[in-house]
Amino acid sequence: MAKKRKTTIKDIANVLNISPAAVSKALNNDSRISDKTKKAVKQVAINLNYQPNHLASALRSGKSNLVGVVVPRTNSNFFSSVIQNIEEVLNKEGYNIIITQSNESYEKECRNIDTLLFTQVDGIIASMANETINLEYYEKVKAKGIPLILFDRGENDLNVDYIGIDDYTSSHTIVEHLVSQGCKRIAHIGGFKHTRIFNNRIRGYIDALKKHNLPLDEELLIECDLSKEDGSKKMEQLLALENRPDAVYVAGDYAALGALQVLNGRNIKIPQEIALVGFGNEPFTAMVTPSITSVEQHSAEIGKRAALTFLEHTKKETITQTLNKQILDAKLIIRDSSDKNN
Amino acid sequence: MAKKRKTTIKDIANVLNISPAAVSKALNNDSRISDKTKKAVKQVAINLNYQPNHLASALRSGKSNLVGVVVPRTNSNFFSSVIQNIEEVLNKEGYNIIITQSNESYEKECRNIDTLLFTQVDGIIASMANETINLEYYEKVKAKGIPLILFDRGENDLNVDYIGIDDYTSSHTIVEHLVSQGCKRIAHIGGFKHTRIFNNRIRGYIDALKKHNLPLDEELLIECDLSKEDGSKKMEQLLALENRPDAVYVAGDYAALGALQVLNGRNIKIPQEIALVGFGNEPFTAMVTPSITSVEQHSAEIGKRAALTFLEHTKKETITQTLNKQILDAKLIIRDSSDKNN
DNA sequence: TACATTTGCTTAATCGTTTAAGCAAATATA
DNA sequence: TATATTTGCTTAAACGATTAAGCAAATGTA
């Protein structure tokens, strides 16, 4: 099949003996075009299988109708669910989304942002890589004058919208749950403090211990990148202690899984000897043995809100980016790994 | 910060008192521009923080440098790994990718294709939804004259490139492994026959049974959509039989997981009473108890080849889409769920 | 020296749309 | 009836790049 020249607005104009401008307006339902002409134009468009050239209209109107999404990875239920919900909301409004993944690399993340700006997206919705420490690069987005919305990783002091859960309170809830199960030496395998959400989880952990008059043992508070491998490593580190913990709260499900495998491998009874809690409510937490208690992060809600926040920006003319943090309540899902009454 | 007008090629031209055309050529390293001018242009471009307008160049040159990717979902290790590798190869060549997910819905898949065509992508790499029966919609892509490359789901008789694993032989390998473990009544929870790859797995299963002189029991051959829920349901169906199977080969890991949970729930010994094999080598197969034997599909290799295949198309002028199937050998990863000698 | 070629740029058209400005005819208003 | 407004279109410029064609100056060749 030879490459046919695509039908353009001009072809339609020729058929009807009107100007291309009239055709454009007819297709966009301009009020100054008669219904008769509109109908005729639309019919011819169908007949000729007219497909609008998105590039041309984007170039002229300055709007690409594309929204860029940056995530650490798509291969996680949390992020893919967020993405799916962003897509659902934005598709309805005529936007398409471009997904890019940073693979937890700061460098890739920067390149992704460049890619998106290069592609002339109308906005960016992002969650940062673990590595990302400063938000300087994101200034580029703001400088371009397009909306920037951060979620999950990326709570900030920039004048940028943010949507996430209440990590501080979640930590409280977790510690309180473990205390109610009779645990007295609760360890925390956390993320790096430089990421706000992980810092919040750590602060919540520390404050909750205080509240329950439990001493804070520095040996029991560990930072890592929360990969599954790191979870295993840090768990072994905890097991090597003279005075082992009787509960471990891991700030990420993948790392919790790594920890679980170490415990299972050593035939340590969960939760009797050591109780375990993860974070994120990834589907596998319900699948493994024992199932892992975790925290539901409301991925669907976060995705929807991120999209809606973007849409709001597009609606108001003024570019008054006022700090707008939306913090959702998280929910503890109690499973076998921490439920001693079962 | 007010929305600044972006610097264009014209601004650079003004600074240097040369024509915009010269600037364009300098930036594109045209041989007819002196090194001196090139250097000057590039310096000014940096000074003014020039960002090329992708839409404009795409419109003029007819190339968007965008490749569309369609997958059933990103939330699976197989697909996200394929995507990652496509991205890696294409980024190097200056292409960016747009990811869309069909969520296993034919209708959404069609909308995705429209979206991509609308966005003027230079090519499409796709894996079809389970629901997708005919490839008619994909004709639109071919009609537009841009390369179409299918992988995994989508082996076809269209004149379209395809990259996948050898499903027929994989089934043989699985059945032979189970036979070697002493299994005699091997069930198959498969995908729908209308999808070529699942049909191939079913054919492989049937032929392998024959080869080993095992009777084909229609009760032991079940088609479903291979969701986790379906896996559980079909496993229960098999357990309800008077003459239960002593091995179950499930054509997808998620469904295999569903089956596993049913078996575990009934305290049926795996693999002693019933051996279990999945397909896809999703990471959780190694994580659950017992770990699930599965088939590695070479997602990385498939992604790379898909990207390279696209690039080849862009290089040759002629649009001779000749049928080009690349079939890779799959690899059986034996784990606890089918290893009786452990 | 005379002519051909190469170098280094400019001019202007173009990609397919949108849109500001304008204009004639139809309709409304005074 | 005379003027103002609305309707329904056209013309032409614009979005920001690329590129074919052209041209003068520099360089090469005989």
Side-chain angles (χ1 to χ4, degrees):
Chain A
M1 165 143 13
K3 197 183 287 194
K4 277 188 311 210
R5 215 181 56 73
K6 286 158 290 179
T7 42
T8 71
I9 228 168
K10 252 186 185 163
D11 299 322
I12 300 178
N14 284 338
V15 170
L16 294 171
N17 257 320
I18 57 177
S19 70
V23 173
S24 169
K25 286 179 185 165
L27 291 172
N28 290 308
N29 277 321
D30 189 295
S31 62
R32 298 284 289 272
I33 299 291
S34 69
D35 285 351
K36 206 181 94 193
T37 307
K38 278 182 193 169
K39 229 176 247 172
V41 165
K42 284 170 188 172
Q43 189 53 54
V44 174
I46 292 169
N47 293 347
L48 298 184
N49 189 27
Y50 168 71
Q51 301 275 97
N53 184 320
H54 177 247
L55 297 175
S57 65
L59 173 60
R60 178 60 232 247
S61 65
K63 276 195 59 186
S64 67
N65 284 310
L66 248 37
V67 173
V69 176
V70 184
V71 290
R73 56 183 187 281
T74 59
N75 171 27
S76 128
N77 196 65
F78 175 71
F79 288 117
S80 82
S81 164
V82 171
I83 290 171
Q84 202 175 308
N85 281 277
I86 291 176
E87 207 177 1
E88 222 158 80
V89 173
L90 292 186
N91 278 352
K92 269 185 211 143
E93 300 287 324
Y95 287 94
N96 293 312
I97 70 174
I98 300 186
I99 305 167
T100 60
Q101 27 186 355
S102 65
N103 297 316
E104 299 285 9
S105 145
Y106 175 66
E107 199 209 339
K108 182 82 198 298
E109 187 170 296
C110 293
R111 270 197 292 133
N112 282 344
I113 293 171
D114 280 339
T115 291
L116 293 176
L117 293 180
F118 178 73
T119 315
Q120 314 289 121
V121 293
D122 291 340
I124 291 183
I125 299 176
S127 188
M128 303 183 328
N130 258 330
E131 276 185 20
T132 305
I133 296 184
N134 66 39
L135 288 166
E136 218 169 87
Y137 217 83
Y138 283 94
E139 291 287 352
K140 269 184 119 167
V141 181
K142 287 182 66 187
K144 226 185 169 186
I146 63 175
L148 169 63
I149 292 119
L150 298 174
F151 69 92
D152 191 46
R153 319 244 198 100
E155 193 190 344
N156 60 82
D157 299 320
L158 278 180
N159 231 2
V160 166
D161 290 306
Y162 172 78
I163 295 142
I165 57 160
D166 188 336
D167 290 283
Y168 179 81
T169 305
S170 298
S171 271
H172 264 271
T173 311
I174 290 170
V175 170
E176 258 153 31
H177 161 64
L178 289 170
V179 167
S180 81
Q181 296 291 314
C183 301
K184 299 218 147 39
R185 270 182 69 72
I186 302 172
H188 180 44
I189 300 179
F192 293 114
K193 245 202 296 268
H194 64 244
T195 305
R196 184 79 65 101
I197 61 168
F198 296 126
N199 189 32
N200 287 344
R201 290 181 199 173
I202 292 170
R203 287 195 308 111
Y205 161 77
I206 294 175
D207 290 356
L209 288 186
K210 236 179 253 164
K211 187 174 156 195
H212 291 277
N213 295 315
L214 294 173
L216 169 64
D217 186 340
E218 292 292 346
E219 282 182 332
L220 298 185
L221 176 50
I222 304 176
E223 288 179 37
C224 69
D225 72 11
L226 294 177
S227 66
K228 187 176 147 228
E229 290 68 33
D230 244 26
S232 297
K233 232 180 281 169
K234 301 310 178 188
M235 189 71 231
E236 272 164 5
Q237 187 179 320
L238 287 172
L239 291 178
L241 294 177
E242 281 179 47
N243 194 359
R244 284 184 181 177
D246 56 8
V248 181
Y249 153 34
V250 189
D253 279 337
Y254 282 89
L257 178 72
L260 180 104
Q261 290 179 336
V262 167
L263 293 172
N264 276 342
R266 303 212 184 176
N267 286 319
I268 293 174
K269 289 236 177 321
I270 311 172
Q272 289 75 19
E273 284 182 66
I274 296 185
L276 186 69
V277 177
F279 208 108
N281 203 27
E282 288 286 329
F284 66 75
T285 54
M287 290 160 15
V288 293
T289 312
S291 56
I292 305 176
T293 295
S294 195
V295 174
E296 165 61 36
Q297 293 183 95
H298 304 300
S299 49
E301 184 66 20
I302 289 179
K304 268 178 209 146
R305 291 205 185 201
L308 290 173
T309 305
F310 163 77
L311 289 174
E312 262 169 45
H313 276 292
T314 64
K315 268 156 201 167
K316 47 184 159 186
E317 303 294 300
T318 47
I319 324 168
T320 49
Q321 284 256 36
T322 62
L323 188 55
N324 175 14
K325 287 196 192 186
Q326 299 178 51
I327 308 293
L328 312 179
D329 279 335
K331 193 174 149 202
L332 185 67
I333 314 284
I334 299 171
R335 297 202 180 86
D336 296 346
S337 71
S338 71
D339 189 358
K340 298 190 183 178
N341 314 314
N342 194 9
Chain B
M1 166 144 11
K3 196 183 289 191
K4 277 188 309 209
R5 219 181 51 75
K6 287 159 288 180
T7 43
T8 72
I9 227 169
K10 249 185 186 165
D11 300 321
I12 301 177
N14 284 339
V15 170
L16 295 172
N17 257 321
I18 57 178
S19 71
V23 174
S24 171
K25 286 180 185 163
L27 290 173
N28 291 308
N29 278 322
D30 189 295
S31 62
R32 297 286 287 276
I33 299 292
S34 68
D35 284 350
K36 203 181 95 196
T37 306
K38 279 181 193 168
K39 230 176 245 171
V41 166
K42 283 171 187 171
Q43 189 52 53
V44 174
I46 292 170
N47 293 347
L48 298 184
N49 188 29
Y50 168 72
Q51 301 274 97
N53 185 321
H54 177 248
L55 297 175
S57 62
L59 173 61
R60 177 62 232 250
S61 64
K63 277 194 58 183
S64 68
N65 283 310
L66 248 37
V67 173
V69 176
V70 183
V71 291
R73 56 181 186 282
T74 58
N75 172 25
S76 128
N77 195 66
F78 175 71
F79 289 117
S80 82
S81 165
V82 170
I83 290 172
Q84 201 176 308
N85 281 277
I86 291 175
E87 207 176 1
E88 222 159 78
V89 173
L90 292 186
N91 278 352
K92 269 185 211 142
E93 301 287 325
Y95 288 94
N96 293 312
I97 69 174
I98 299 186
I99 305 167
T100 60
Q101 26 185 356
S102 66
N103 297 315
E104 299 285 9
S105 147
Y106 175 65
E107 198 209 340
K108 182 80 199 296
E109 188 170 297
C110 294
R111 271 196 292 132
N112 282 344
I113 293 171
D114 280 339
T115 290
L116 293 176
L117 294 179
F118 178 73
T119 315
Q120 314 289 123
V121 293
D122 291 341
I124 290 183
I125 300 177
S127 187
M128 302 184 327
N130 257 330
E131 276 185 20
T132 306
I133 295 183
N134 67 39
L135 288 166
E136 219 169 84
Y137 217 82
Y138 285 94
E139 292 286 353
K140 269 184 118 167
V141 181
K142 287 181 66 188
K144 223 183 172 188
I146 63 175
L148 170 63
I149 293 119
L150 298 174
F151 69 92
D152 190 46
R153 319 245 199 97
E155 194 188 343
N156 59 83
D157 300 318
L158 279 180
N159 230 2
V160 166
D161 291 307
Y162 172 80
I163 296 141
I165 58 160
D166 189 334
D167 290 284
Y168 179 81
T169 305
S170 298
S171 271
H172 264 270
T173 311
I174 289 169
V175 169
E176 259 155 30
H177 161 66
L178 289 170
V179 167
S180 80
Q181 297 290 314
C183 301
K184 299 218 145 42
R185 269 180 71 71
I186 302 173
H188 179 45
I189 299 178
F192 293 114
K193 244 202 297 267
H194 64 243
T195 306
R196 183 81 65 103
I197 61 169
F198 296 125
N199 190 31
N200 286 344
R201 289 180 201 174
I202 292 170
R203 287 195 308 110
Y205 161 77
I206 294 174
D207 289 358
L209 289 185
K210 236 179 253 165
K211 186 173 159 198
H212 291 277
N213 293 317
L214 294 173
L216 170 64
D217 186 339
E218 292 292 346
E219 283 180 333
L220 299 185
L221 177 49
I222 305 176
E223 288 179 38
C224 68
D225 72 11
L226 292 177
S227 66
K228 186 175 149 231
E229 291 67 33
D230 244 25
S232 297
K233 232 180 282 171
K234 302 309 178 189
M235 190 69 229
E236 272 166 5
Q237 186 178 323
L238 287 172
L239 291 178
L241 293 178
E242 280 178 49
N243 195 358
R244 283 183 180 177
D246 57 7
V248 180
Y249 152 33
V250 189
D253 279 336
Y254 282 89
L257 178 72
L260 179 103
Q261 290 179 334
V262 166
L263 292 174
N264 276 343
R266 303 211 185 180
N267 288 318
I268 292 173
K269 290 234 177 324
I270 310 172
Q272 289 76 18
E273 283 180 67
I274 296 184
L276 186 70
V277 176
F279 206 108
N281 203 27
E282 288 286 328
F284 67 75
T285 53
M287 289 162 13
V288 293
T289 312
S291 56
I292 305 174
T293 296
S294 196
V295 174
E296 165 61 36
Q297 291 184 94
H298 305 300
S299 50
E301 183 67 19
I302 288 179
K304 268 179 209 145
R305 290 205 185 200
L308 290 172
T309 306
F310 163 77
L311 289 174
E312 261 169 43
H313 276 290
T314 64
K315 268 156 200 166
K316 46 184 157 183
E317 304 293 302
T318 47
I319 326 169
T320 49
Q321 286 255 37
T322 62
L323 188 56
N324 174 14
K325 288 195 192 187
Q326 299 178 51
I327 308 291
L328 312 179
D329 279 336
K331 193 176 151 201
L332 186 67
I333 314 284
I334 298 171
R335 298 203 179 87
D336 295 345
S337 71
S338 71
D339 189 359
K340 299 192 183 177
N341 313 315
N342 195 9

